[in-house]
Amino acid sequence: MNNRRLLSEYYKGDGSCAQIFRVTNGDQQGFYSITFSDPQGHSISQEDYPHKALGYVEDAAENWTLGIKLLLG
């Protein structure tokens, strides 16, 4: 069973949010994940970063809030 721990949140001016989680599964090392939500709090996308450092994932979340990063799909 996965354990998700919220680490930080990044917001767009319209209230959309990118939440960064640390995901662990038992004794495995775990990975970071971002959940992107619309202004009403509904999840619109999720991206997992299994081999990236926290700084990289934070940059991705911030870039989305600034309009630099676009979500695929």
Side-chain angles (χ1 to χ4, degrees):
M1 181 172 176
N2 284 345
N3 180 26
R4 291 170 49 95
R5 182 170 53 101
L6 179 64
L7 299 179
S8 57
E9 298 177 310
Y10 292 79
Y11 288 91
K12 284 187 172 186
D14 68 357
S16 299
C17 181
Q19 295 179 308
I20 298 177
F21 292 90
R22 176 74 175 161
V23 181
T24 55
N25 184 8
D27 59 355
Q28 294 179 348
Q29 187 173 353
F31 59 92
Y32 297 107
S33 179
I34 303 175
T35 299
F36 302 94
S37 302
D38 66 17
Q40 290 75 37
H42 301 109
S43 178
I44 55 176
S45 185
Q46 178 181 320
E47 293 181 355
D48 295 336
Y49 296 86
H51 303 289
K52 299 295 184 185
L54 179 57
Y56 181 95
V57 179
E58 290 172 330
D59 287 347
E62 184 177 20
N63 286 343
W64 178 72
T65 63
L66 296 173
I68 298 167
K69 175 181 174 47
L70 302 178
L71 300 179
L72 302 176

